Amino acid sequence: MQETILITGGAGFIGSNFVLEWLEQSTGPLVNVDSLTYAGNLRNLEPVAARREYSFVRADICDRARMDQLLQEHQPRAIVHFAAESHVDRSIVGPEAFVETNVRGTFVLLEAARAYWNSLPRENQPKFRFLHVSTDEVYGSLGADDPAFRETTPYAPNSPYSATKAASDHLVRAYFHTYGLPTIITNCSNNYGPYHFPEKLIPLMITHALAGKPLPVYGDGLNVRDWLYVGDHCAALRLVLERGRPGETYNIGGRNERSNRQVVEAICEILDELQPASPHCPHKQLIQFVKDRPGHDRRYAIDATKLERELGWQARETFSTGLRKTVQWYLDHPEWTSDVLSGAYQEWIDRNYKQRSQDGAHSDPDGQQRSHECEG
Ligand code: NAD
Ligand code: DAU
């Protein structure tokens, strides 16, 4: 067994951030296995592409023979499994790809990992780790006064996305209990930061606001998410990989609950400040309330006490410092955004938002006009 780790989905949002930080800290060789769906972008990894400790393999996690071959070839000490279909709205429009990658793909990877692990010398088997990167959405939706999700909260997924992630979590758990494969599951809240694909709330609002396009807030905008800067998630994953206990689950979250309205307004305020000469100032005038997401979970909140107490993890970014960094990153990387806004992505935007606007977009759910001046 080598010092190498093998990760899946490393060309996506969180995976890219994980790879860049891993190699920046010279933590050891890393093999990135990604099939490059619309969400995978090798440009994110250009800074490390030539590094000796890094290699990229284009492969689908559903391809069992390929997974077997890669594990035998690289002899990793751990697998960190990010690869997934990750967008809730897409899962509502087309759930099949989610079942394929999130459920069957995770199953195939687990089977390949089990065969590889069985082939290891006995003394190396306890050192191996299968770290499954999952989501808080498996716990379902909270009421306003409910306590935050704990590791013991029963699963109650509500979207095809969260149902397939829940199914994958159950498989990972079963492989520990049944076969002894040293698996660990992490369930994290909403991430944001650099390289976030602009179909998700925060990058979509930033890129739309910069272009003077409407900012489509679903429903009344009072759904709450618990935001975590992506670098804090990656730090937690490194810690769990080194010191987490096999068979355990760790919740990861930043204790940064915000309603979607608060998030969008905060983005607008930062842009007003950083781009005072923009013709789109005040950016809040671009907000439009549109038809809600079906089955829209009302509130997520993570109780990360176990991770904090057992492994000493603490988020470094507050929502305000993390959001400012993120907006600045999009301002500094316009070419990254224009590159990913390809024809295929435009088709998705047209499909997702056309229907919502036909159902009557308006600028405020109470029908009130908004008037804000740019500051600075
Ligand atoms: P993403 O959609 O940005 O990236 C997913 C990556 O997986 C892409 O590079 C894609 O090409 C790759 N991929 C998809 N199907 C594949 C397949 N069959 N074989 C190989 N590669 C494949 O996702 P993300 O936001 O970076 O999320 C990564 C993981 O973290 C996911 O498992 C997600 O469920 C989980 N997660 C995400 C968040 C969040 O807020 N984004 C929060 C908690 C957990
Ligand atoms: O909680 C973790 C999860 O967070 C991850 O597992 C998912 O992979 C990730 O996509 C994210 O899921 P959400 O559905 O919470 O994220 P999204 O960015 O799609 O939406 C965040 C909130 O913003 C949600 O309440 C829906 C709302 N929204 C989203 C979009 C894209 C809008 O109001 N308008 C929009 O245009």
Side-chain angles (χ1 to χ4, degrees):
M1 198 163 64
Q2 307 289 325
E3 272 312 291
T4 306
I5 66 161
L6 183 147
I7 78 165
T8 68
F13 162 48
I14 304 174
S16 295
N17 280 281
F18 185 87
V19 171
L20 294 173
E21 288 180 20
W22 184 268
L23 293 170
E24 194 181 291
Q25 301 186 359
S26 299
T27 327
L30 183 151
V31 181
N32 175 14
V33 179
D34 195 301
S35 64
L36 299 181
T37 68
Y38 78 95
N41 186 350
L42 285 183
R43 275 198 70 164
N44 305 356
L45 300 164
E46 272 169 8
V48 296
R51 288 274 296 270
R52 214 165 25 89
E53 314 91 301
Y54 174 72
S55 51
F56 173 75
V57 180
R58 185 171 191 177
D60 191 323
I61 57 165
C62 298
D63 182 343
R64 173 67 197 271
R66 196 84 169 96
M67 294 304 113
D68 284 342
Q69 178 248 316
L70 288 171
L71 290 171
Q72 281 307 326
E73 182 184 337
H74 294 284
Q75 297 282 309
R77 69 176 169 94
I79 296 172
V80 185
H81 179 32
F82 293 96
E85 289 293 335
S86 68
H87 189 33
V88 173
D89 290 323
R90 283 184 192 258
S91 83
I92 295 166
V93 173
E96 194 171 348
F98 289 72
V99 175
E100 178 66 8
T101 285
N102 300 359
V103 185
R104 203 172 83 77
T106 301
F107 165 70
V108 168
L109 193 64
L110 280 166
E111 279 292 89
R114 181 164 77 93
Y116 164 66
W117 178 71
N118 276 326
S119 77
L120 292 173
R122 231 167 231 301
E123 68 274 16
N124 282 345
Q125 289 185 346
K127 296 180 205 151
F128 180 76
R129 292 289 179 272
F130 185 106
L131 173 52
H132 179 59
V133 181
S134 193
T135 171
D136 60 355
E137 300 200 11
V138 298
Y139 298 121
S141 184
L142 293 169
D145 300 322
D146 288 338
F149 301 131
R150 305 196 63 166
E151 287 79 1
T152 49
T153 303
Y155 275 31
N158 292 318
S159 73
Y161 163 69
S162 53
T164 58
K165 289 298 288 186
S168 68
D169 291 8
H170 291 322
L171 282 169
V172 173
R173 175 190 157 93
Y175 272 62
F176 172 77
H177 285 279
T178 305
Y179 305 114
L181 185 71
T183 65
I184 304 179
I185 299 170
T186 55
N187 295 95
C188 188
S189 63
N190 285 64
N191 284 215
Y192 66 102
Y195 307 109
H196 204 180
F197 198 86
E199 65 186 351
K200 309 282 170 60
L201 179 75
I202 288 182
L204 184 131
M205 295 299 168
I206 297 172
T207 52
H208 276 215
L210 286 173
K213 292 186 190 162
L215 307 181
V217 176
Y218 296 166
D220 61 9
L222 296 179
N223 301 70
V224 170
R225 297 292 182 265
D226 186 351
W227 294 96
L228 182 69
Y229 189 71
V230 63
D232 283 322
H233 185 189
C234 293
L237 293 173
R238 290 193 297 274
L239 210 53
V240 170
L241 189 59
E242 300 318 321
R243 306 221 316 264
R245 288 180 289 134
E248 293 290 321
T249 284
Y250 296 89
N251 279 355
I252 309 174
R255 300 184 200 275
N256 281 312
E257 285 185 61
R258 296 284 186 287
S259 72
N260 295 335
R261 270 201 213 194
Q262 287 175 315
V263 170
V264 178
E265 287 176 2
I267 291 169
C268 290
E269 279 160 22
I270 295 172
L271 282 174
D272 288 352
E273 191 190 318
L274 296 179
Q275 305 258 282
S278 163
H280 312 306
C281 264
H283 292 87
K284 279 179 192 169
Q285 73 192 340
L286 298 170
I287 294 175
Q288 287 198 349
F289 290 86
V290 300
K291 192 182 175 205
D292 210 351
R293 172 186 281 177
H296 196 175
D297 284 338
R298 194 62 172 167
R299 174 178 165 238
Y300 304 142
I302 278 279
D303 181 343
T305 306
K306 180 175 171 181
L307 181 68
E308 291 161 355
R309 291 219 180 119
E310 271 191 27
L311 304 184
W313 176 83
Q314 281 294 331
R316 298 176 75 167
E317 300 291 344
T318 63
F319 188 62
S320 143
T321 60
L323 191 63
R324 187 166 283 268
K325 268 190 177 178
T326 304
V327 173
Q328 190 64 56
W329 188 87
Y330 282 89
L331 284 173
D332 293 343
H333 296 84
E335 73 299 341
W336 184 89
T337 309
S338 56
D339 256 31
V340 299
L341 298 182
S342 67
Y345 176 68
Q346 271 315 320
E347 278 166 32
W348 162 252
I349 286 286
D350 292 347
R351 185 170 179 181
N352 190 38
Y353 294 99
K354 198 170 157 209
Q355 182 57 41
R356 294 177 198 277
S357 58
Q358 277 165 355
D359 288 321
H362 48 102
S363 55
D364 190 289
D366 314 317
Q368 287 163 10
Q369 285 299 317
R370 286 161 177 262
S371 165
H372 302 275
E373 293 305 318
C374 274
E375 286 165 24

